[in-house]
Amino acid sequence: MDLSRPRCRLWRKLVLVASLLACGITQASSQMYISPDPFTGLKGFQSLLTVNNAPKDVQEYSWHRGANDTEENLIISYNTTSHSQQKGPVYSGRETVSHTGALLIKGSQLNDTGNYTARAAAFNDTQRATGWLEVREFEIPGISVNTSIVLEDVDSVVAICHTNNTEVQWYVAHTLVSSSERTAISPDTKTVIIKRVKNYDSPLQCGVKIVLGTVIQRSELIYLTMAYGPSYVMILSEPGNNNGILPAEISSHVEMVCVFNGAPESKYRWIHSGSLLSFSEKNITLPSLTWDQMGRYRCIVENNLTQLTLHEEVQVQHPRECRRFSQSITMSAFLLDFLMAWSILGYVLLFTLILVGLIRCYST
């Protein structure tokens, strides 16, 4: 019995199957297709669908609305010989076909979303391909934060990008950021958390990616305010004050304003001669000064976020009292200078006597 013939037949069958598979793969790889598929366009902008792997020597390209190439669904066709275009029943006036078979839709609308079928007719071959076009609204994303006033190196900020898009990019101080030690981006990319906020982590902004993965629109900028201070407090007044003394005549107009460096706007308290005044503003206005309104005014500034408190005082006095006070200060200064001068002279005399005594002692 000859066993070589069955083996030969089996080998021929395997070769035949392999040849058919190779042929099928080659044909599939050369099949015409539309790119990009799916294509995402924007309302009001142009959309471009291109034909790839079309047969050689194409005589006519035609585009149809839907998943088939029937004549009632014809949008427009292009004859490569006469270079002419033929408009079909569903032509909207916004479509054109190039010599390469690409379909350009100007001013895309939401109802342009759907299947589009391209047919390329050659002498010996006609191929068809269907692609999907989705037209979206031109979206401007919104952004919100849990707080815009933070303590540096202490607080965290949570920002949310309000968008229907599934691809969001985040910008901190106008720089694109990704997840890091201090920055955490949620899996859906719509939320970012910035830990231990620095004073340079501002402003915040998000952007949406729509067309071909390109960021085309960003949200508004959200600026953060760092809470700090106060580190100093001053009282500005009219009339002006010098070294905490404000001279003012009876019945005159007096105004005092408390200023400080810090953020946010802090709480003010005014105390007059030990009594708390019912003022929560940073300024006090005395339209007609009375004797009872004379005395010491203290402005206390409290920052609830930083838990820091500072104060400054000013003494409202009659000009005569100011002159007396100035004279007393001048006399005190004169006496102090006089005493210092005599003290220095005494030290000099004492040193001279000691030096003379030492000289006489060594001479003897």
Side-chain angles (χ1 to χ4, degrees), residues 270-285:
W270 285 91
I271 295 177
H272 174 230
S273 300
S275 300
L276 179 65
L277 299 178
S278 59
F279 292 99
S280 59
E281 306 294 333
K282 60 180 172 182
N283 63 301
I284 288 181
T285 301

Side-chain angles (χ1 to χ4, degrees), residues 302-342:
E302 300 176 356
N303 192 327
N304 293 330
L305 289 180
T306 61
Q307 301 296 314
L308 295 177
T309 301
L310 282 181
H311 71 273
E312 181 62 19
E313 295 182 347
V314 66
Q315 180 78 21
V316 179
Q317 292 182 352
H318 195 275
R320 289 196 302 269
E321 296 180 358
C322 292
R323 284 194 293 270
R324 292 173 185 170
F325 182 73
S326 177
Q327 291 174 358
S328 64
I329 291 178
T330 303
M331 184 60 68
S332 299
F334 174 76
L335 290 175
L336 182 60
D337 292 341
F338 179 78
L339 293 174
M340 288 182 63
W342 274 105

